[in-house]
Structures are given as structure tokens and as C-alpha cells.
Amino acid sequence: MMTVAKRTPKYVAKARSLIESSANKPTVKRCNVLAVLLSTTKPLSAYELTDRYNKRYTESIIAASVYRILDWLTQAGVAYRLNILNKFIACQQRPSTQQLSIFIVCKNCQKTIQKRAPNTLVHPIYERVSEANYCDILPHIELTGVCEQCAHISHQKENVIE
């Protein structure tokens, strides 16, 4: 997996080109909020994002503006709202409106990774959704588990106790 620092500039450029094609043009604050989201592998609440933004940039921002920007970024397909955490994360893969993503969230540390769902899974899901006469389905699935690092720490603790 690419590190955050290595993917940020390239991703921001790709994300910016995607969102520039929308009716609402990206602003400096929108791009900065996206950059803050990209600086972590953990989802952030709007208030956590506001705090990080205000520490990082000279021009401050308020939480209400962050909420509006997050709404805009999610509609543009470059950020996701993870319902299980009520937090937001930048799309970790190439921005795409055509792809179903699977987010795997560590229930201990909240580290989150994004995987693309294989077509063998996507097509049957969308067929079932269509059969049920639903539309506007969220373009992602959220799963929880324990990441390798947290499992390792837990295993070490168990060995110390025994």
C-alpha cells in the first residue's frame, strides 16, 4: 500500500481534476480540507478535521464550513462518510464514481483501508439492489475487524498475562 505522503500530491491532482469538472469549482479551503483528510489513514470527524486544519493553515475554518466542504467532497466522490464511525475519510484509491469500495475499519485503532470490490461481487449486489427497486445506494461497504498491528499487540498482552 502506498504511504500517505507519497500518494497525497498525485491524488490531490487527480481529485482536483475530477472535481473541477463539476459545476462547483474547488476552492483553496476545499482542497486544503481534502489534503488534511489525505494526511491520515484514520477517519476524522468534522471537528477533528477543523482542529487539524486550523493547526496546519494560517487561514482558519469553522466546523460548519467543514461540514459543507465534506458534503461537497463526498458528492464529488473523493471522500466518504463512514457511517459506522460517523467520520470521514478521503478516497484512498483513484477517484471514481463507477467503483464499489470496501472499507475495512479496525475497531481498536480505527485505521482504515479501502479495497475495490471485485466485479464478481459488484454485479450481483447491484442486481439485488435493482430487483428491490432501490436507488442512490452508497458506493461503499463498511466492515469492521482488527488490524494486524492491533492483533499483534493483543497477542503480546495475552502472552504477558499467562
Side-chain angles (χ1 to χ4, degrees):
M1 188 165 99
M2 232 185 245
T3 65
V4 174
K6 288 184 181 175
R7 74 175 159 78
T8 298
K10 187 176 183 179
Y11 178 90
V12 170
K14 176 69 176 168
R16 189 174 192 145
S17 69
L18 178 70
I19 58 183
E20 280 177 348
S21 65
S22 71
N24 295 322
K25 301 295 181 205
T27 62
V28 171
K29 285 190 176 184
R30 288 174 178 172
C31 291
N32 289 346
V33 167
L34 180 59
V36 172
L37 274 178
L38 285 163
S39 69
T40 181
T41 59
K42 294 181 183 182
L44 300 173
S45 70
Y47 289 98
E48 291 169 329
L49 234 166
T50 301
D51 289 341
R52 288 184 184 205
Y53 185 104
N54 289 333
K55 289 176 184 172
R56 189 171 178 178
Y57 299 104
T58 55
E59 187 179 359
S60 65
I61 195 167
I62 60 172
S65 294
V66 170
Y67 275 112
R68 283 191 295 277
I69 291 170
L70 287 168
D71 184 47
W72 186 82
L73 290 171
T74 56
Q75 288 180 15
V78 295
Y80 291 99
R81 180 181 182 274
L82 297 179
N83 295 310
I84 56 176
L85 298 173
N86 195 24
K87 294 185 177 186
F88 297 85
I89 192 164
C91 181
Q92 297 170 354
Q93 313 230 337
R94 282 187 149 179
S96 172
T97 56
Q98 307 284 322
Q99 194 67 40
L100 180 68
S101 290
I102 300 171
F103 286 93
I104 308 165
V105 181
C106 178
K107 57 186 172 183
N108 293 338
C109 71
Q110 295 187 352
K111 175 183 174 187
T112 303
I113 60 169
Q114 177 186 3
K115 298 286 186 181
R116 287 209 170 131
N119 286 335
T120 55
L121 179 64
V122 173
H123 295 299
I125 288 173
Y126 281 124
E127 285 176 12
R128 299 306 177 278
V129 168
S130 179
E131 289 169 5
N133 295 318
Y134 275 77
C135 59
D136 296 328
I137 300 299
L138 291 175
H140 68 275
I141 297 170
E142 301 172 23
L143 303 171
T144 59
V146 179
C147 72
E148 184 178 15
Q149 186 176 359
C150 288
H152 181 70
I153 291 168
S154 178
H155 182 69
Q156 284 180 331
K157 287 180 181 177
E158 288 173 6
N159 287 339
V160 170
I161 294 172
E162 292 176 0

